[in-house]
């Protein structure tokens, strides 16, 4: 089944505010960013093909660095990853929280379901098939919109960062209208990455064990280690909860269909009754599906995002920790050199470089971590408020439908 | 086990509502099955239930009777009623299903949630069974029913295998086989029967489908409840580690809301089950009984046909004997003709009677079905209303907490 969807596509569901809410919510959902006229980036369009997604990255800028004030390029997921990795590998950015890379677009589950549906076409009625197909297409669209949002958030975070926005690779990413020819990592490189990560976490354990002289960083370290684990747990549990919710909504869908058939077949007064209740469940089921979708957007995605952000913050602490270790080693080396009176100048230079590096990282890291907290609090506030408002809206909608149907049914007797 | 205790109340509550509706009828009889008690130990153990009948009907010796009955007693009652009335075309309500797995757990003494739920499910099913049985005007007056409800001692029922739900199905299938083997297919002169049979066939298919979907819903709602509780705990932990005070508090509040919602889901799953799922299960079994009486009618017709064939043969034999000189045999042939004429007449009367009975029974059955479904579905929608009202309450309380994050 081939789908070509764009975030602007309307009219897939005649329910109120189905798309507009999502569209509004999608942009920068989990970050509280000031929009800056000097550099505005968004994903204006996206195309889903068999096994890849093509994002149209649209830039508006008054900066002199760019040839035009407004331009667009087409990028794929691997190019986002390349950009992210280039930040991580850049020593100059060691003192910043690198905005987490967007996750790979994953339509496998949805595609599998659509395929199974196609195979099972013979075993269900035409209405059921059409209904399920619409459901799955809506699900596919939702996943698609999410991946667009996550890629966009990454770019917005970079554009909002005072230093990263000036990065040359970022400008190339935004402007160069040819393929960046970023090949996927080959096996050897992937293995190297793996070992690098192993070393990093081993380092991390070492560094985490040393109590920091600076209270601020000591507190941040303790906080982040625990927070990250708890966010991970909450993220997984919220996913499971939302999946059950979706399953229950699917059951109600099936119940509504069967009630409809019963209504058309029944020879007694129950026929009208069943038809009315079937209609009710069709509507409430849509609302339940919306509730699950909104919980997914406002809660699950929020937690997933902060799982990645808190990891990026931890990475920053590890980098600082390594710089501290280097600095301390340089100090020891200098003492040794002075004691032996050999290569003292060299040792002094090395020590100065390490000291500067450590102090530079510490200074920017402090600000980054403070900003992280501000962003986090703002994002949670926004999403929790919106979650509560949406839950209320849907519960009230459900209630109204139920009460009105009950009124009709009771009146009929 | 605080969660379970709440469940128990919820089940009783829902069942009393069902009970109440029944009793605004003309029958003026209330039956409750309660207080399951385990008797004996190990594999010989069994549950005993208290059956309380309150009535102002004169056929009962007292206006309030309480007896103790075990599951096999119920099966025995049903067995007797089915053998007496089914062949006349009466729709005899089927007894609840046996369950080896469920009962073994109870016997072995597992006091866990699933075996307690099993006993409650069974108690409720037994109550519904009795209520349906006494709703039938003929069955209510049956001496076996009266004995079951009133007599303090009941002879131990044997061969309860025979007419359990599975037993009925076997009987129905045998009748259907007999019908299929008929050389002369029944020429349905009465379109009503053909139409009704088709309708019940369709109803059967849809109710089974609906039942399966509702069972799935119950399962998923229970799962949702468990996962919500799990998330609530996780959110509480997250709130604990959050170092921004206002956000930390909001997260703890969120955890509390989710915990309350998990209880809501659990109660709703309960309603899903005890209102809708069990009703559907009952009707799937009832329709099997309905199909059974239609097949009984076919059997009766087949018997009538066979008698006619026999009569024809006897007449032919007599005609042949007219020309042979065997006066004894001729007399015997004439006697046999009379005998079979009688059987044919009886067969025709039986067929007419069963057809009449079935029409009446189906009319009554459909009336009850309409009422049952209406009452239960309305109760169910009311439970859904209650759930949404609670949801609104919880989220309204949480919203200012979320807004207070500064």
């Amino acid at each position: 089944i081939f789908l070509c969807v764009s975030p602007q596509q309307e009219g897939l569901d005649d329910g109120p505010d189905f798309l507009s809410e999502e569209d509004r919510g999608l942009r920068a959902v989990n970050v509280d960013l000031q929009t800056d006229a000097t550099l505005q980036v968004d994903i204006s369009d996206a195309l889903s093909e068999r096994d890849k997604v093509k994002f149209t990255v649209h830039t508006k800028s008054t900066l002199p660095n760019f040839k035009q004030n407004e331009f667009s390029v087409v990028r794929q997921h691997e190019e986002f990853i390349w950009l992210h990795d280039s930040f991580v590998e850049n020593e100059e950015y060691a003192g910043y929280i690198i905005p987490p890379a967007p996750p790979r677009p994953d339509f496998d589950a949805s595609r599998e379901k659509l395929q199974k549906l196609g195979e099972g076409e013979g075993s269900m009625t035409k209405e059921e098939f059409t209904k399920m197909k619409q459901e799955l297409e809506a699900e596919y669209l939702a996943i698609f919109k999410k991946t667009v949002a996550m890629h966009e958030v990454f770019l917005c975070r970079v554009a909002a960062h005072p230093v990263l926005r000036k990065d040359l690779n970022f400008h190339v990413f935004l402007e160069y209208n040819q393929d960046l020819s970023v090949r996927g990592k080959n096996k050897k490189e992937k293995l190297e990455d793996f070992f690098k990560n192993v070393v990093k976490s081993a380092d991390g354990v070492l560094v985490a064990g040393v109590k920091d002289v600076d209270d601020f960083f000591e507190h941040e370290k303790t906080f982040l280690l625990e927070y990250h684990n708890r966010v991970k747990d909450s993220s997984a549990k919220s996913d499971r909860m939302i999946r059950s919710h979706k399953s229950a909504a699917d059951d109600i869908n099936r119940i509504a269909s069967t009630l409809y058939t019963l209504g058309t077949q029944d020879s007694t007064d129950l026929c009208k009754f069943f038809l009315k209740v079937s209609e009710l469940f069709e509507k409430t089921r849509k609302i339940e599906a919306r509730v699950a979708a909104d919980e997914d957007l406002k809660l699950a995605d929020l937690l997933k995002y902060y799982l990645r952000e808190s990891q990026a913050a931890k990475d920053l602490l590890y980098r600082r920790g390594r710089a501290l270790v280097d600095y301390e080693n340089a100090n020891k080396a200098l003492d040794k050199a002075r004691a032996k009176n050999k290569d003292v100048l060299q040792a002094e230079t090395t020590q100065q470089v390490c000291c500067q590096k450590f102090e530079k990282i510490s200074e920017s890291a402090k600000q980054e971590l403070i900003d992280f907290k501000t962003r986090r609090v703002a994002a949670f506030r926004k999403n929790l408020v919106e979650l509560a408002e949406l839950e209320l809206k849907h519960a009230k909608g459900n209630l109204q439908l139920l009460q009105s149907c009950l009124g009709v049914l009771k009146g009929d007797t | 086990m605080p969660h379970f205790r709440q469940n128990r109340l919820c089940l009783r509550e829902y069942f009393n509502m069902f009970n109440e509706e029944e009793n605004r009828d003309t029958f003026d009889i209330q039956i409750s099955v309660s207080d399951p008690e385990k008797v004996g130990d190990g594999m010989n153990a069994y549950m005993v239930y208290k059956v309380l009948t309150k009535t102002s009907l004169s056929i009962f010796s007292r206006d309030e009777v309480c007896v103790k009955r075990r599951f096999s007693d119920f099966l025995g009652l049903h067995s007797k009623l089915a053998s007496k009335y089914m062949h006349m075309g009466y729709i005899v309500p089927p007894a609840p299903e046996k369950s080896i797995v469920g009962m073994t757990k109870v016997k072995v003494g597992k006091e866990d949630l699933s075996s307690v739920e099993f006993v409650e499910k069974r108690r409720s099913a037994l109550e519904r069974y009795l209520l349906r049985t006494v709703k039938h005007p003929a069955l209510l007056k049956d001496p076996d029913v009266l004995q079951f409800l009133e007599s303090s001692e009941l002879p131990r029922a044997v061969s309860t295998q025979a007419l359990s739900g599975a037993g009925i199905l076997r009987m129905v299938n045998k009748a259907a086989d007999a019908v299929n083997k008929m050389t002369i297919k029944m020429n349905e002169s009465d379109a009503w029967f053909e139409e009704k049979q088709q309708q019940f066939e369709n109803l059967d298919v849809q109710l089974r489908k609906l039942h399966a979907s509702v069972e799935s819903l119950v399962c998923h709602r229970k799962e949702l409840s468990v996962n919500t509780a799990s998330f609530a705990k996780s959110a509480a932990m997250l709130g604990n580690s959050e170092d921004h005070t206002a956000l930390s508090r909001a997260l703890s509040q969120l955890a509390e809301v989710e915990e309350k919602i998990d209880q809501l889901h659990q109660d709703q799953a309960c309603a899903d089950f005890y209102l809708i799922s069990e009703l559907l299960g009952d009707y799937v079994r009832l329709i099997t009984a309905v199909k059974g009486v239609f097949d009984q009618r076919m059997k009766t017709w087949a018997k009538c046909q066979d008698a006619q064939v026999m009569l024809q043969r006897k007449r032919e034999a007599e005609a042949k004997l007219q020309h042979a000189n065997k006066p004894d045999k001729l007399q015997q042939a004439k006697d046999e003709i009379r005998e079979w004429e009688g059987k044919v007449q009886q067969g025709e009367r039986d067929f007419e009677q069963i057809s009449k009975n079935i029409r009446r029974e189906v009319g009554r059955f459909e009336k009850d079905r309409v009422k049952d479904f209406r009452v239960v579905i309305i109760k169910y929608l009311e439970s859904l209303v209650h759930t949404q009202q609670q949801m609104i309450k919880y989220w309204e309380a949480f919203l200012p907490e979320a807004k207070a994050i500064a």
Side-chain angles (χ1 to χ4, degrees):
Chain A
I1 298 178
F2 178 80
L3 285 183
C4 168
V5 277
S6 130
Q8 268 66 43
Q9 197 170 335
E10 303 268 6
L12 275 168
D13 188 303
D14 53 336
D17 296 335
F18 180 70
L19 288 171
S20 52
E21 204 134 39
E22 258 188 280
D23 276 345
R24 261 188 274 121
L26 275 181
R27 307 285 150 102
V29 128
N30 296 315
V31 271
D32 185 40
L33 297 171
Q34 265 75 29
T35 39
D36 188 337
T38 57
L39 179 61
Q40 277 178 320
V41 184
D42 67 277
I43 294 182
S44 59
D45 201 356
L47 186 66
S48 164
E49 281 177 3
R50 195 151 292 279
D51 57 351
K52 53 182 169 227
V53 180
K54 293 194 170 137
F55 304 96
T56 303
V57 179
H58 167 247
T59 311
K60 256 181 162 164
S61 173
T62 55
L63 294 175
N65 319 52
F66 300 108
K67 295 199 199 83
Q68 298 165 297
N69 282 352
E70 193 170 347
F71 47 91
S72 291
V73 294
V74 176
R75 292 284 173 247
Q76 288 185 41
H77 175 73
E78 289 71 29
E79 292 163 308
F80 286 75
I81 300 303
W82 163 80
L83 182 61
H84 171 263
D85 290 351
S86 76
F87 292 152
V88 170
E89 287 158 12
N90 189 334
E91 286 283 325
E92 289 295 305
Y93 302 146
Y96 306 124
I97 295 179
I98 308 296
R104 196 181 67 85
D106 184 9
F107 295 99
D108 289 344
S110 194
R111 215 173 273 132
E112 210 183 285
K113 276 196 214 172
L114 274 168
Q115 193 169 352
K116 267 201 194 130
L117 179 69
E119 287 166 6
E121 190 174 349
S123 68
M124 50 182 100
T125 69
K126 189 156 177 277
E127 291 84 29
E128 281 177 346
F129 177 76
T130 317
K131 219 180 181 198
M132 286 227 73
K133 182 155 174 280
Q134 278 175 350
E135 286 297 309
L136 289 179
E137 280 173 354
E139 203 179 288
Y140 193 98
L141 181 66
I143 296 174
F144 182 75
K145 282 184 171 179
K146 260 211 234 183
T147 192
V148 166
M150 291 195 275
H151 284 74
E152 190 179 76
V153 156
F154 169 71
L155 294 178
C156 292
R157 279 269 277 124
V158 175
H161 195 284
V163 175
L164 294 176
R165 73 200 322 238
K166 300 192 203 130
D167 181 84
L168 198 60
N169 283 336
F170 183 47
H171 291 184
V172 167
F173 178 94
L174 290 176
E175 202 179 19
Y176 185 63
N177 60 8
Q178 307 269 334
D179 192 350
L180 288 174
S181 293
V182 165
R183 57 179 172 70
K185 294 188 173 156
N186 62 28
K187 207 172 185 178
K188 181 163 170 283
E189 285 170 335
K190 283 201 182 131
L191 214 57
E192 279 172 2
D193 265 355
F194 173 71
F195 281 117
K196 248 197 264 171
N197 279 328
V198 169
V199 168
K200 186 166 82 176
S201 36
D203 254 2
V205 168
L206 252 173
V207 162
V210 175
K211 186 162 157 54
D212 208 305
V213 168
D214 189 333
D215 275 344
F216 174 81
F217 285 103
E218 184 57 30
H219 166 81
E220 286 298 308
K221 194 169 60 185
T222 319
F223 163 70
L224 274 173
L225 281 172
E226 192 185 62
Y227 187 79
H228 177 79
N229 286 336
R230 300 221 173 146
V231 158
K232 199 185 219 167
D233 188 60
S234 294
S235 174
K237 303 253 163 85
S238 75
D239 278 345
R240 236 174 283 158
M241 177 176 76
I242 290 163
R243 256 201 303 273
S244 299
H245 213 141
K246 283 200 183 117
S247 300
D250 285 342
D251 288 325
I252 298 176
N253 197 11
R254 251 165 278 160
I255 289 171
S257 294
T258 314
L259 280 173
Y260 180 78
T261 312
L262 272 169
T264 55
Q265 286 177 354
D266 207 288
S267 54
T268 66
D269 284 342
L270 281 180
C271 64
K272 278 181 281 160
F273 202 82
F274 284 145
L275 287 174
K276 201 86 193 55
V277 178
S278 166
E279 198 188 323
L280 169 70
F281 282 162
E282 278 288 346
K283 296 195 186 127
T284 60
R285 191 271 311 169
K286 280 207 177 95
I287 294 184
E288 286 302 320
R290 263 336 263 145
V291 171
D294 286 339
E295 285 176 348
D296 198 22
L297 272 176
K298 303 296 173 190
L299 193 57
D301 279 354
L302 173 72
L303 293 169
K304 273 196 204 82
Y305 188 80
Y306 278 93
L307 176 61
R308 298 201 304 276
E309 275 266 345
S310 57
Q311 180 63 50
K314 267 170 53 177
D315 290 345
L316 170 61
L317 280 184
Y318 292 158
R319 287 196 293 271
R320 177 180 171 273
R322 246 208 315 278
L324 178 58
V325 167
D326 288 345
Y327 179 30
E328 285 174 348
N329 288 342
N331 273 338
K332 287 190 196 135
L334 180 59
D335 287 343
K336 246 194 213 154
R338 283 190 177 139
K340 287 186 186 161
N341 206 8
K342 190 177 174 202
D343 295 322
V344 172
L345 194 61
Q346 191 179 32
E348 273 177 352
T349 321
T350 311
Q351 193 259 22
Q352 259 178 12
V353 164
C354 286
C355 174
Q356 275 167 3
K357 186 172 169 207
F358 173 69
E359 282 175 355
K360 182 171 166 225
I361 290 182
S362 289
E363 194 185 317
S364 62
K366 193 164 195 169
Q367 191 54 51
E368 288 281 303
L369 289 167
I370 291 171
D371 288 346
F372 172 60
K373 181 165 171 174
T374 313
R375 271 201 313 276
R376 182 174 81 245
V377 171
F380 269 79
R381 184 189 190 281
K382 177 170 183 283
N383 282 283
L384 289 178
V385 166
E386 284 175 2
L387 174 71
E389 285 173 345
L390 285 167
E391 293 272 4
L392 268 172
K393 174 176 162 207
H394 294 317
K396 285 181 178 159
N398 250 341
L399 181 64
Q400 199 250 349
L401 283 170
L402 286 165
Q403 282 173 329
S404 121
C405 181
L406 260 174
V408 170
L409 293 178
K410 279 178 169 169
D412 270 352
T413 33
Chain B
M1 299 239 242
H3 274 186
F4 173 67
R5 241 175 269 131
Q6 272 163 302
N7 266 348
R8 247 186 142 209
L9 279 167
C10 125
L11 302 176
R12 241 11 205 113
E13 204 179 272
Y14 287 120
F15 252 88
N16 283 338
M17 287 194 257
F18 185 70
N19 209 341
E20 271 161 36
E21 274 299 329
E22 297 298 312
N23 299 315
R24 271 183 231 133
D25 265 75
T26 51
F27 286 129
D28 192 21
I29 172 170
Q30 280 180 51
I31 300 186
S32 72
V33 173
S34 61
D35 300 306
E37 223 180 279
K38 189 165 150 201
V39 171
D41 272 315
M43 289 314 285
N44 291 325
Y46 58 92
M47 297 300 285
V48 153
Y49 303 86
K50 199 169 88 175
V51 178
L52 174 65
T53 308
K54 284 192 193 155
T55 176
S56 61
L57 295 174
S58 51
I59 45 173
F60 287 88
S61 55
R62 304 197 289 288
D63 55 9
E64 194 171 314
V65 191
C66 186
V67 294
K68 291 215 165 122
R69 297 285 177 253
R70 54 185 292 189
F71 185 64
S72 56
D73 293 334
F74 289 79
L75 292 184
L77 173 65
H78 174 258
S79 166
K80 288 193 198 131
L81 294 176
S83 61
K84 273 199 257 185
Y85 296 102
M86 260 193 89
H87 68 92
M88 294 203 297
Y90 285 39
I91 301 170
V92 175
E97 291 295 323
K98 286 180 141 193
S99 166
I100 300 170
V101 173
M103 261 331 272
T104 307
K105 275 207 211 150
V106 173
K107 289 181 195 204
V108 165
K110 286 189 89 190
E111 269 298 311
D112 67 352
L113 195 61
S114 69
S115 56
V116 177
E117 273 182 9
F118 171 80
V119 171
E120 176 53 36
K121 186 176 161 184
R122 173 160 283 190
R123 181 211 63 78
S124 168
L126 291 173
E127 194 174 84
R128 294 195 306 273
Y129 164 68
L130 286 181
L131 284 169
R132 286 208 175 92
T133 302
V134 299
K135 266 187 94 178
H136 194 300
L139 299 181
L140 174 59
K141 300 199 199 90
D142 184 278
D144 284 319
V145 171
L146 292 172
Q147 185 190 43
F148 180 91
L149 291 175
E150 288 195 310
S151 129
S152 48
E153 288 294 317
L154 207 63
R156 194 46 220 287
V158 290
S159 53
T160 53
Q161 266 293 351
L163 287 160
S164 60
I168 296 252
L169 201 59
R170 272 195 294 275
M171 201 174 79
V172 166
N173 287 337
K174 261 194 262 169
D177 286 340
V179 165
N180 287 333
K181 288 203 190 92
M182 275 171 12
T183 44
I184 310 160
K185 257 324 185 196
M186 179 165 177
N187 194 357
E188 189 55 83
S189 51
D190 197 335
W192 185 92
F193 283 91
E194 204 172 320
E195 206 184 292
K196 278 297 164 196
Q197 257 185 297
Q198 189 55 55
Q199 279 172 4
F200 280 113
E201 203 50 55
N202 294 341
L203 189 59
D204 189 32
V205 168
Q206 296 306 320
L207 286 184
R208 279 175 199 272
K209 219 165 145 194
L210 191 60
H211 190 210
S213 299
V214 173
E215 283 188 319
S216 177
L217 177 63
V218 170
C219 182
H220 286 134
R221 253 210 248 273
K222 280 194 179 148
E223 206 180 86
L224 176 58
S225 162
V226 165
N227 288 340
T228 305
S230 173
F231 173 72
K233 286 202 189 81
S234 185
M237 297 282 277
L238 185 64
N240 274 346
S241 62
E242 173 57 64
D243 67 349
H244 184 275
T245 328
L247 178 54
S248 170
R249 229 193 51 204
L251 285 170
S252 304
Q253 301 285 23
L254 179 69
E256 270 181 43
V257 167
E258 295 289 356
E259 209 182 298
K260 289 191 193 134
I261 288 176
D262 122 60
Q263 188 55 50
L264 266 186
H265 286 314
Q266 219 177 52
D267 291 344
Q268 186 59 64
C270 204
D272 292 345
F273 181 73
Y274 278 93
L275 286 176
I276 304 292
S277 183
E278 289 287 80
L279 174 77
L280 291 171
D282 286 352
Y283 268 89
V284 165
R285 278 193 298 279
L286 274 165
I287 286 178
T288 307
V290 172
K291 287 185 356 186
V293 299
F294 276 95
D295 283 336
Q296 286 294 323
R297 178 175 172 268
M298 297 276 248
K299 232 171 132 184
T300 309
W301 184 84
K303 208 165 154 198
C304 188
Q305 286 301 104
D306 287 348
Q308 283 189 349
V309 166
M310 244 339 196
L311 177 62
Q312 186 59 26
R313 268 197 219 140
K314 296 298 177 190
R315 284 199 174 128
E316 282 167 5
E318 194 246 12
K320 279 205 194 113
L321 283 171
Q322 289 278 8
H323 303 298
N325 195 8
K326 292 180 184 157
D328 296 333
K329 287 242 159 94
L330 190 59
Q331 187 52 43
Q332 187 187 3
K334 286 196 200 288
D335 289 338
E336 282 179 356
I337 288 176
R338 254 199 307 280
E339 184 195 332
W340 283 96
E341 276 173 347
K343 283 193 176 155
V344 165
Q345 269 179 6
Q346 184 59 46
E348 282 169 352
R349 270 200 300 273
D350 287 345
F351 182 72
E352 241 183 77
Q353 187 60 45
I354 195 175
S355 298
K356 205 170 93 181
N357 287 344
I358 289 179
R359 276 177 184 272
R360 195 189 57 233
E361 286 287 285
V362 166
R364 196 184 53 85
F365 178 83
E366 291 288 71
K367 233 173 90 188
D368 284 345
R369 181 167 74 91
V370 169
K371 204 170 80 163
D372 277 354
F373 273 81
R374 261 216 184 106
V375 164
V376 166
I377 288 179
I378 287 180
K379 285 275 179 304
Y380 180 66
L381 294 184
E382 285 173 347
S383 81
L384 291 174
V385 164
H386 173 78
T387 300
Q388 293 305 316
Q389 283 170 333
Q390 290 299 101
M391 281 277 203
I392 290 172
K393 223 172 81 179
Y394 299 151
W395 286 108
E396 271 177 351
F398 174 73
L399 189 55
E401 299 287 341
K403 287 186 168 161
I405 302 170

